Amino acid sequence: MKYILLALVVVVLASAAVELLRALRTYLKFRGKRIVSCPETHQAAAVRIAAGKAAAEATIGAPHIRLSECSRWPEREDCGQECLAQIQEAPKACLVKTIVNQWYAGQSCVFCHKPFHEIHWHDHPPALLAPERKTIEWKEIPAENLQDVFKTHRPVCWSCHIAETFRRVHPELVTDRPAH
Ligand SMILES: [Zn+2]
């Protein structure tokens, strides 16, 4: 009897672990902001999938993938979410982070000319130089404008962004010395 109980506990724990793992995998696959081509306008739209909800549903079966955010909401909140097919087809390729990382790859900072290698978004993320010669951070840019920004802005490293911002805000404290 004791062994049967023990075996039962092991089975229950193992299946719970499998379900948790499936939920985690679903969450990791669908979290994050993405860019899709809106099937209605054929323009870029920034969307987010309800990853938490999908993960919870994945524990009991196939999750029902739906959006939790779209740059065209609330006006078009009742659309058929046909863009989901694009995400299902290439979940990683449409992630904003993937698209931005690809843009930086092979480019160098316009100020110090240091090439961009692996980008760490949590630690000294790269910035941009706007056409009006002002450096800005990615958080100031709506994701749906990504493709336009790539055409009009130049890449800037974190250190140069900080230096340029200081120069702009406190011009009286900056002395430019000629290079030796
Ligand atoms: Zn730089």
Side-chain angles (χ1 to χ4, degrees):
M1 187 62 192
K2 215 163 78 183
Y3 292 112
I4 295 174
L5 257 176
L6 193 67
L8 209 65
V9 168
V10 168
V11 167
V12 167
L13 282 180
S15 67
V18 167
E19 278 167 17
L20 271 178
L21 206 66
R22 205 189 305 138
L24 185 68
R25 219 182 289 138
T26 305
Y27 179 75
L28 294 177
K29 182 178 173 186
F30 290 116
R31 69 170 174 173
K33 196 170 254 187
R34 289 176 161 87
I35 299 295
V36 292
S37 164
C38 176
E40 212 173 74
T41 59
H42 302 288
Q43 305 267 316
V47 298
R48 215 182 263 279
I49 282 179
K53 193 165 159 278
E57 288 174 0
T59 59
I60 44 168
H64 191 58
I65 307 296
R66 300 298 287 169
L67 297 184
S68 63
E69 262 175 54
C70 171
S71 51
R72 298 196 62 215
W73 289 1
E75 292 79 22
R76 299 295 298 129
E77 206 159 343
D78 57 348
C79 87
Q81 303 194 2
E82 269 107 34
C83 62
L84 283 169
Q86 297 168 35
I87 300 174
Q88 298 271 25
E89 197 173 305
K92 257 207 182 121
C94 53
L95 267 175
V96 168
K97 261 180 200 166
T98 308
I99 299 170
V100 175
N101 285 353
Q102 277 169 353
W103 185 69
Y104 278 105
Q107 297 211 77
S108 312
C109 169
V110 284
F111 293 107
C112 69
H113 308 294
K114 231 185 264 163
F116 292 98
H117 295 298
E118 205 182 323
I119 289 166
H120 302 285
W121 288 99
H122 54 280
D123 179 32
H124 298 177
L128 296 153
L129 180 65
E132 64 270 23
R133 302 295 294 172
K134 180 188 165 198
T135 62
I136 53 169
E137 288 176 38
W138 277 99
K139 60 182 182 222
E140 297 175 52
I141 292 171
E144 62 273 25
N145 297 350
L146 221 56
Q147 295 303 337
D148 294 328
V149 166
F150 289 160
K151 283 182 209 145
T152 52
H153 292 53
R154 310 284 309 277
V156 177
C157 76
W158 169 261
S159 307
C160 291
H161 164 57
I162 297 299
E164 286 300 313
T165 305
F166 186 78
R167 192 188 292 271
R168 182 163 46 85
V169 181
H170 299 289
E172 74 285 1
L173 298 177
V174 178
T175 326
D176 279 309
R177 293 198 180 87
H180 294 293

